[in-house]
């Protein structure tokens, strides 16, 4: 499945000729594919949310009789035609698809970054994949990252991708790497980074422009590069869109503000945006672009689906009201 998604992403790029725009198309394609599953899951979650007031009444009435509570809860589910598990399977399938999609993206990104870096070592020139303000989409959108890969990014590339990238090199490039002490058995993120230190152009391109002062809230100093790769726009957009998406999700009804569900929901509302900011600040810009586009799609989808559900519920209530009058 991973190879299939990698092939689809590369196929889209063969037409569009830019991985940034290809990533947007790829993300929308996958989201459209799993939309029916999302709809079914959200519908079930909404129906369960609407039953929360009734559930709270039962919990209060049968607080000291767990067996009776379970019986009445089961009767409520049967009467309303819902199941607590009905929304789980579609959600699980969606998560599996998105996980495989993430693995495919990571494979493409690691392969491209390895190819870029070996090109720099063997030819002295690195061909960057740019997108709008980002100079190299295979590096993070951040002034704290250079356009060229550093040791952290190179170490994240698995050994099998280094091996495949090396095996695809021409004979003259293999010879050039051999002169630097790199062959099929020794190639790794560490050996490649060590070789990069011998290139004057790499040292020049990765010069620091400034170092932010040390703050108690920051674990380490943040180095701004003269030839930085971006302006931290995608990580910030990831946090904002994650917050919007969180607001659009169905929230469990809870009349008691000290209810654990209410406390957890409030915590998650702020945790996920901060988590998005953190992870997108360290991952390549293509991953951050996926995160932003995915969040925007999910937010719009939630707004539209919530409107559909609300309209449907209003019509059902009107029909019930009209029926009672007759």
């Amino acid at each position: 499945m991973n190879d299939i998604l990698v092939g689809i992403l590369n196929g889209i790029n063969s037409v569009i000729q830019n991985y940034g725009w290809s990533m947007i198309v790829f993300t929308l394609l996958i989201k459209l594919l799993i939309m029916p599953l999302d709809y079914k899951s959200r519908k079930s979650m909404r129906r369960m949310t609407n039953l929360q007031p009734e559930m709270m009444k039962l919990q209060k009435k049968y607080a000291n009789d767990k067996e009776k509570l379970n019986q009445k809860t089961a009767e409520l589910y049967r009467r309303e035609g819902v199941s607590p598990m009905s929304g789980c399977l579609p959600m699980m399938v969606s998560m599996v698809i998105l996980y495989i999609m993430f693995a495919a993206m990571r494979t493409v990104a690691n392969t491209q970054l390895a190819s870029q870096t070996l090109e720099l070592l063997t030819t002295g020139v690195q061909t960057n994949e740019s997108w709008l303000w980002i100079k190299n989409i295979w590096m993070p959108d951040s002034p704290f990252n250079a356009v060229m890969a550093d040791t952290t990014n190179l170490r994240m590339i698995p050994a099998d991708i280094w091996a495949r990238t090396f095996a695809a090199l021409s004979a003259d490039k293999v010879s050039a790497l051999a002169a630097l002490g790199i062959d099929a058995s020794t190639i790794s993120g560490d050996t490649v980074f060590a070789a990069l230190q011998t290139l004057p152009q790499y040292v020049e391109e990765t010069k620091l422009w400034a170092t932010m002062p040390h703050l108690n809230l920051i674990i380490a100093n943040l180095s701004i590069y003269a030839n930085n790769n971006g302006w931290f726009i995608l990580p910030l957009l990831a946090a904002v869109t994650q917050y919007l998406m969180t607001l659009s999700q169905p929230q469990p009804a809870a009349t008691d503000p000290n209810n654990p569900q209410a406390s957890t929901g409030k915590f998650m509302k702020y945790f996920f945006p901060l988590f998005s900011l953190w992870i997108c600040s360290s991952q390549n810009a293509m991953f951050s672009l996926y995160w932003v586009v995915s969040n925007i799609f999910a937010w719009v989808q939630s707004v539209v689906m919530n409107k559909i559900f609300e309209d449907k519920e209003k019509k059902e209530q009107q029909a019930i009201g009209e029926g009672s009058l007759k």
Side-chain angles (χ1 to χ4, degrees), residues 52-324:
Q52 284 299 310
E54 294 295 325
M55 286 293 301
M56 293 179 68
K57 290 179 182 178
L58 292 177
Q59 290 170 0
K60 185 176 181 180
K61 184 175 181 180
Y62 302 104
N64 299 320
D65 191 344
K66 298 299 182 182
E67 184 176 348
K68 193 71 172 179
L69 174 61
N70 292 335
Q71 178 185 342
K72 291 296 182 181
T73 300
E75 291 176 1
L76 176 64
Y77 288 156
R78 284 196 298 269
R79 184 171 69 249
E80 298 296 332
V82 300
S83 169
M85 299 301 295
S86 60
C88 295
L89 181 58
M91 186 182 298
M92 290 177 61
V93 174
S94 297
M95 291 301 295
V96 169
I97 293 175
L98 291 177
Y99 177 80
I100 296 173
M101 176 187 173
F102 172 69
M105 279 193 310
R106 185 171 53 189
T107 298
V108 171
N110 285 332
T111 301
Q112 292 295 324
L113 187 60
S115 179
Q116 269 188 349
T117 308
L118 294 184
E119 177 190 33
L120 175 61
L121 280 176
T122 55
T123 67
V125 178
Q126 177 173 295
T127 304
N128 297 317
E129 181 80 22
S130 62
W131 183 78
L132 297 182
W133 68 90
I134 301 167
K135 299 172 185 175
N136 183 8
I137 200 170
W138 311 117
M139 290 291 290
D141 172 21
S142 170
F144 312 122
N145 285 92
V147 176
M148 296 177 177
D150 58 16
T151 180
T152 301
N153 299 106
L154 295 176
R155 283 177 175 174
M156 290 174 64
I157 301 175
D160 62 319
I161 290 182
W162 280 120
R164 287 202 302 268
T165 306
F166 184 88
L169 296 175
S170 60
D172 58 327
K173 290 183 177 181
V174 171
S175 298
L177 289 176
L180 296 171
I182 299 175
D183 57 30
S185 63
T186 61
I187 189 167
S188 67
D190 289 327
T191 57
V192 169
F193 182 71
L196 288 172
Q197 304 306 300
T198 66
L199 298 182
Q201 61 268 42
Y202 179 84
V203 175
E204 183 66 26
E205 286 288 319
T206 55
K207 278 186 177 179
L208 302 183
W209 174 54
T211 301
M212 295 181 67
H214 182 79
L215 299 176
N216 290 332
L217 297 178
I218 300 177
I219 297 176
N221 291 333
L222 297 176
S223 302
I224 301 176
Y225 286 86
N227 188 24
N228 58 68
N229 194 50
W231 297 106
F232 217 68
I233 296 175
L234 285 179
L236 290 174
L237 285 176
V240 171
T241 55
Q242 186 71 44
Y243 181 75
L244 290 174
M245 190 183 73
T246 303
L247 291 180
S248 67
Q249 298 299 313
Q251 300 297 323
T255 56
D256 181 5
N258 296 319
N259 186 294
Q261 287 184 319
S263 301
T264 301
K266 186 176 180 180
F267 170 76
M268 291 302 180
K269 183 169 68 174
Y270 297 105
F271 169 77
F272 280 122
L274 292 175
F275 175 76
S276 300
L277 179 68
W278 172 73
I279 195 170
C280 289
S281 67
S282 58
Q283 294 293 323
N284 62 76
M286 190 178 81
F287 172 81
S288 300
L289 183 59
Y290 151 73
W291 198 288
V292 171
V293 174
S294 181
N295 282 348
I296 293 174
F297 186 96
W299 175 66
V300 173
Q301 179 179 267
S302 291
V303 171
V304 173
M305 287 186 179
N306 287 341
K307 185 67 169 62
I308 292 173
F309 294 145
E310 289 171 3
D311 291 344
K312 186 176 180 180
E313 288 167 1
K314 286 180 181 179
K315 291 180 180 179
E316 290 176 351
Q317 290 174 359
Q318 289 175 356
I320 293 173
E322 291 173 357
S324 61

